[in-house]
Amino acid sequence: MSAININQNNFREEVLNSDRTVLLDFWASWCGPCRMVSPIVDEIAAERPDIKVGKVNVSEQSELASQFHVMSIPTLVVMKDGKVVSKAVGARPKSQILAMM
């Protein structure tokens, strides 16, 4: 699977109502560390069908970023059953991202 672009319109269905664990990547095109994390997040999306991966562009989805108290990017959020179970700020290696699950 590939990562899904998450926005206000599909957030409830894709994230809150997901039957799988969801990894959200809050990012922006102008963010250097985000560009380092993005290929790792895409890899996880391709390798792990048990995890739904969503990307939230904070420049376009400021309401969602605010809802999750995103102050710095990249911010990675793991959600299960519509609830945040872990959150990490800053670039991380793949092993640390997977350990968040």
Side-chain angles (χ1 to χ4, degrees), residues 31-66:
C31 165
C34 297
R35 289 194 296 271
M36 291 168 36
V37 170
S38 185
I40 297 169
V41 170
D42 290 339
E43 258 180 53
I44 293 169
E47 295 170 358
R48 297 284 303 267
D50 58 316
I51 299 169
K52 183 180 283 190
V53 177
K55 293 189 174 193
V56 182
N57 183 330
V58 298
S59 297
E60 297 170 359
Q61 300 298 322
S62 58
E63 259 183 60
L64 281 176
S66 177

Side-chain angles (χ1 to χ4, degrees), residues 23-36:
L23 171 63
L24 292 175
D25 175 17
F26 288 85
W27 68 283
S29 58
W30 47 262
C31 165
C34 297
R35 289 194 296 271
M36 291 168 36

Side-chain angles (χ1 to χ4, degrees), residues 1 3 7 9 11-12 14 18 21 23 26 28 30 32 35 38 42 48 57 59 71 84 86 92 95 100-101:
M1 290 198 122
N7 56 48
N9 297 329
F11 178 76
R12 178 172 294 286
E14 295 291 351
S18 178
T21 298
L23 171 63
F26 288 85
W30 47 262
R35 289 194 296 271
S38 185
D42 290 339
R48 297 284 303 267
N57 183 330
S59 297
M71 299 296 169
V84 175
S86 61
R92 303 246 185 272
S95 59
M100 293 173 62
M101 305 301 149

Side-chain angles (χ1 to χ4, degrees), residues 74-90:
T75 293
L76 299 170
V77 175
V78 176
M79 297 186 68
K80 291 182 183 174
D81 301 319
K83 294 178 177 49
V84 175
V85 293
S86 61
K87 185 174 177 178
V89 178

